[in-house]
Amino acid sequence: MTGSTIATELMEEKHTAVPPSLLSRFSTLLPYWKAAATMIDMVLDIVVMIKYYTRGDLGFAWACFVCLFSNLALQSLFVVFAYRQKSLWQNCREQLYIWTLIKPAIDVHRVLNEEAKHISTHENTIMSYRAEYTTMRIIEITTECVPGSIIQAAAMLASGEISTVIIVSFASSLVTSAMISANISFDWDVSTEQRACDPYFYGYIPKSNMA
C-alpha cells in the first residue's frame, strides 16, 4: 500500500460523517454526567464562598461571589439576547433555569432531542441548542471555573488552611474546565451535521477511534 493510498483513505475517513450509531454510546449517560458535574461545581463554589466568609476571609469570599455572579449574569444576558423573539413566559422560564443552576441539564436534554430529530435551529431563536449549550459552557469556563480555581489556590496558599471541601471544590473546578473544553471540541467534531457541512474543518477524530 503506497503512501498516497494511505493518505487518500485517511482523508476519506476524515470527511465522512460519523453515523449516529457510533454516537449513541456517547449521547445517553455521558452528557448528563457532564451536566451534573457542572452543577455540582457551582454548588461547591457556593459552599466554599460561605466557608471563606464564615472564617473571615472576606476578600476571597467576595472574589468567589463575583466569579459565580458574573457567570450567571452573562448567561442571563445571553438568554435575553438569544430568546428576544420569544414570549415573556419563555424568557422568565429560561432565567429560572439559570438562577436555580439547572440550566446545564436542560441544555443537554435539548441538545440530545435536537440531534435525535435532526433539527438545526429552533423557533424564534438565533442559534441551535448545541450552539447555545457551547456558548453557556464557554461563559462558565471563562468567568467561573478558571478564575475560581485561581482564587481557591491563592486562598490555600495565603491561609495555609486546607479543608476537604476546599480541596474537592478546587479539583472539581479543574476537572470541569478540562472536561468541558475537551467535550466541546469532541462533540462538535463528531457531529454528523458538522462533518457533512464542513468536512475540511471537522473530522480530526477518526471513525476508527469512535468504535
Side-chain angles (χ1 to χ4, degrees), residues 2-210:
T2 63
S4 60
T5 303
I6 296 174
T8 301
E9 291 182 355
L10 289 174
M11 290 298 292
E12 289 177 351
E13 182 182 66
K14 171 183 172 65
H15 295 160
T16 302
V18 178
S21 59
L22 294 178
L23 294 177
S24 60
R25 302 174 186 176
F26 298 89
S27 61
T28 53
L29 293 179
L30 182 58
Y32 290 103
W33 280 111
K34 293 186 290 184
T38 299
M39 294 186 290
I40 290 171
D41 181 58
M42 287 190 285
V43 171
L44 287 173
D45 286 344
I46 294 173
V47 172
V48 169
M49 177 182 65
I50 295 173
K51 186 174 182 64
Y52 288 153
Y53 183 82
T54 55
R55 77 181 190 187
D57 290 334
L58 300 184
F60 291 118
W62 277 108
C64 289
F65 173 79
V66 169
C67 289
L68 181 62
F69 181 79
S70 298
N71 173 32
L72 298 178
L74 285 177
Q75 288 190 35
S76 178
L77 290 174
F78 173 78
V79 163
V80 170
F81 173 72
Y83 285 72
R84 63 186 183 276
Q85 295 181 355
K86 290 208 169 190
S87 67
L88 177 61
W89 158 246
Q90 290 172 311
N91 274 274
C92 291
R93 183 185 61 188
E94 295 301 316
Q95 296 297 330
L96 180 64
Y97 292 154
I98 291 173
W99 293 99
T100 56
L101 310 183
I102 64 172
K103 179 67 172 169
I106 299 297
D107 287 341
V108 165
H109 181 71
R110 288 171 172 172
V111 168
L112 296 180
N113 285 340
E114 180 181 68
E115 292 181 346
K117 297 177 181 178
H118 304 288
I119 302 172
S120 59
T121 58
H122 44 293
E123 185 180 359
N124 294 333
T125 57
I126 62 174
M127 62 181 65
S128 67
Y129 282 129
R130 174 172 291 281
E132 179 184 344
Y133 171 81
T134 301
T135 303
M136 292 297 195
R137 301 291 73 77
I138 291 174
I139 291 173
E140 181 183 354
I141 291 176
T142 56
T143 60
E144 183 187 352
C145 292
V146 174
S149 300
I150 296 173
I151 292 168
Q152 292 174 31
M156 286 188 288
L157 293 174
S159 66
E161 180 182 346
I162 301 176
S163 67
T164 302
V165 173
I166 293 176
I167 289 294
V168 171
S169 178
F170 178 68
S172 174
S173 294
L174 293 178
V175 170
T176 301
S177 299
M179 181 181 64
I180 291 175
S181 301
N183 278 284
I184 285 175
S185 299
F186 180 89
D187 290 344
W188 279 82
D189 186 75
V190 302
S191 170
T192 302
E193 291 78 11
Q194 296 302 324
R195 288 192 174 194
C197 178
D198 192 356
Y200 289 95
F201 182 80
Y202 298 101
Y204 57 83
I205 299 175
K207 289 195 298 180
S208 57
N209 289 346
M210 294 290 298

